[in-house]
Amino acid sequence: MATLRLGDIAPNFTAETSEGRIDFYEYLGNAWGIFFSHPADFTPVCTTELGATAKLAAEFAARNVKVIALSVDPVGRHHLWIDDINETQQTVVNFPIIADADRKVSELYDLIHPNASETATVRSVFVIGPDKKIKLTLTYPASTGRNFYELLRVIDSLQLTAHYQVATPANWQQGDDVVILPAVKDVDIPAKFPKGFRVIKPYLRITPQPNL
Ligand code: BEZ
């Protein structure tokens, strides 16, 4: 499989998971998706990542996001590992972990980078829209745990910019001002952005977050 890029359709698959056999598209339904991969079960950074994700369940639900993880270990090991995660991270893992022992899904999503490791999957994330298109990809090294607040921030941006002709600037957080897309003509701004706007440069026009 070639590398998946932004705007590509996230390929569907069926797989064994810690919550039984799933069809990926059926699991996602009309929700947004976060699909993230892990080097292996019973590894320290992954343990903290899965615990951190479980603790954010209410935040993902509020954004209509379904989460699914992947590791190349078999489902029996996933169950034992989940017990450890629940115990050590003081949470309850509340999303499926794909048991990709035959590497089928890993190959489909290009999750084994042989120059990093011949056998372990990299630490990748795909954010998938309700249209099943890939909206974000990122890949971290095995040694660096991901920032799950950043994933929530990106989803907030994606959901906002899907409905308004705006983009979110550097380090944007919910409630901050946003930028008006260059495609919007000055003459159309007052009607589209009734909260007001500032023109800093002709290409840099700022408005309060429109959906608050
Ligand atoms: C970890 O998840 O802790 C990990 C996995 C592979 C290499 C280094 C750390």
Side-chain angles (χ1 to χ4, degrees):
M1 177 77 200
T3 303
L4 291 167
R5 296 190 283 197
L6 300 191
D8 291 353
I9 296 288
N12 195 24
F13 57 81
T14 56
E16 290 303 328
T17 81
S18 55
E19 297 186 2
R21 190 156 190 88
I22 63 142
D23 174 287
F24 186 44
Y25 279 11
E26 272 178 26
Y27 173 71
L28 292 176
N30 292 322
W32 290 71
I34 288 185
F35 170 34
F36 63 136
S37 58
H38 295 271
D41 291 6
F42 300 104
T43 49
V45 176
C46 298
T47 299
T48 64
E49 287 193 320
L50 291 185
T53 306
K55 285 179 184 167
L56 290 174
E59 298 291 341
F60 291 121
R63 292 162 176 83
N64 192 28
V65 176
K66 300 202 70 178
V67 173
I68 188 164
L70 174 146
S71 172
V72 293
D73 288 291
V75 78
R77 274 174 72 79
H78 283 2
H79 286 302
L80 295 171
W81 186 34
I82 287 168
D83 289 344
D84 277 9
I85 297 165
N86 292 346
E87 176 196 330
T88 62
Q89 308 303 302
Q90 290 94 42
T91 189
V92 176
V93 170
N94 41 30
F95 50 85
I97 307 175
I98 297 165
D100 196 35
D102 62 3
R103 315 285 202 261
K104 191 182 83 177
V105 181
S106 300
E107 282 170 20
L108 193 60
Y109 276 77
D110 193 28
L111 299 174
I112 297 187
H113 297 190
N115 290 329
S117 166
E118 286 287 343
T119 51
T121 40
V122 288
R123 224 179 267 296
S124 283
V125 183
F126 298 87
V127 174
I128 298 161
D131 57 3
K132 305 292 180 291
K133 289 188 179 167
I134 294 174
K135 309 294 183 186
L136 168 140
T137 65
L138 60 81
T139 299
Y140 273 33
S143 53
T144 307
R146 288 158 285 199
N147 183 331
F148 292 87
Y149 298 111
E150 170 62 1
L151 293 180
L152 291 173
R153 193 189 74 88
V154 173
I155 285 169
D156 284 342
S157 172
L158 286 166
Q159 293 184 344
L160 173 68
T161 60
H163 291 103
Y164 296 89
Q165 286 180 287
V166 298
T168 58
N171 298 329
W172 174 84
Q173 298 284 348
Q174 276 284 14
D176 290 350
D177 288 351
V178 299
V179 297
I180 298 168
L181 288 185
V184 179
K185 295 191 178 109
D186 282 347
V187 68
D188 295 329
I189 290 179
K192 290 188 183 231
F193 301 102
K195 290 182 176 177
F197 64 99
R198 288 176 290 128
V199 178
I200 295 169
K201 292 281 181 188
Y203 58 85
L204 180 57
R205 301 164 303 172
I206 309 289
T207 190
Q209 184 173 330
N211 65 339
L212 294 180

